[in-house]
Amino acid sequence: MVYFSFLLTLLILIIFQLTFLPIQYILIGIVLLVPILLIEKLKLNKRFIKRFARSGTGIGIAVSFSAFLIQTDLIIKISGLLISILGFYAFKFIRRTIQRENRCQSCPDYQENKICYGLRLEADAMRLYSEYASDLLQKDLKAVYTKRLEYDN
């Protein structure tokens, strides 16, 4: 989502030659990036919010980066580039540092190589499904093999 929205926004800004006042590039980039990076840092788990945050990050980086490409003022160019790079690396850093706890590693059953309660339910369901599917398929498979044996003889 970040890369897609970055490229799409950048293409739209360049193709339609949308320009802002020099300081607006930087302000738009910062205003979009800061809240979005906070959403990532807070680890909100709703898929819609995650998609919105990642799209907003790409848009914010693209607007800032477009200042580097479009503007002629050297200070605005450098500021746009710096905000783009810092925004991208801040996003990558936040994504990398979000620690997802592996609950299995801290489970006492895992330490003793046992199937824990949560996985036991899944294992039992898979076993029952396998038995059910085998019973359903057994008649069909037997008929196919019987036909082949008759055909081969």
Side-chain angles (χ1 to χ4, degrees), residues 11-12 32 42 45-46 52 71 83 86 90 92 98-100 103 108 110-111 118 123 127 130 141:
L11 284 173
I12 289 171
L32 282 171
L42 294 174
N45 288 327
K46 294 196 183 255
F52 172 75
Q71 287 295 318
I83 290 172
L86 291 174
K92 294 297 269 181
I98 294 174
Q99 296 294 325
R100 304 237 190 271
R103 294 185 180 162
Y110 181 80
Q111 304 296 329
R127 183 182 44 76
S130 179
L141 291 173

Side-chain angles (χ1 to χ4, degrees), residues 3-141:
Y3 300 119
F4 176 74
S5 60
F6 170 80
L7 288 174
L8 185 65
T9 303
L10 197 59
L11 284 173
I12 289 171
L13 289 171
I14 291 171
I15 289 171
F16 294 108
Q17 296 192 0
L18 299 175
T19 57
F20 305 104
L21 295 174
I23 197 69
Q24 287 177 325
Y25 286 103
I26 296 165
L27 290 176
I28 291 171
I30 291 172
V31 166
L32 282 171
L33 282 173
V34 170
I36 303 286
L37 292 174
L38 287 175
I39 288 172
E40 282 290 331
K41 185 68 177 167
L42 294 174
K43 301 179 241 175
L44 298 175
N45 288 327
K46 294 196 183 255
R47 189 173 299 270
F48 171 75
I49 293 173
K50 285 182 178 181
R51 287 182 179 159
F52 172 75
R54 292 178 185 149
S55 296
T57 301
I59 293 168
I61 294 170
V63 169
S64 297
F65 190 70
S66 70
F68 173 73
L69 297 175
I70 295 172
Q71 287 295 318
T72 55
D73 185 9
L74 185 61
I75 293 173
I76 299 299
K77 276 184 164 296
I78 292 172
S79 299
L81 182 62
L82 284 175
I83 290 172
S84 304
I85 292 170
L86 291 174
F88 177 74
Y89 280 109
F91 176 76
K92 294 297 269 181
F93 178 77
I94 289 169
R95 297 284 299 145
R96 253 187 264 131
T97 57
I98 294 174
Q99 296 294 325
R100 304 237 190 271
E101 181 182 305
N102 187 346
R103 294 185 180 162
C104 289
Q105 303 258 337
S106 61
C107 178
D109 289 336
Y110 181 80
Q111 304 296 329
E112 298 173 16
N113 289 326
K114 294 180 183 176
I115 296 178
C116 72
Y117 176 74
L119 289 179
R120 190 174 311 119
L121 293 174
E122 186 177 342
D124 289 345
M126 292 298 288
R127 183 182 44 76
L128 288 172
Y129 174 76
S130 179
E131 289 173 4
Y132 176 73
S134 294
D135 289 345
L136 287 176
L137 294 174
Q138 195 168 14
K139 294 174 191 169
D140 294 337
L141 291 173

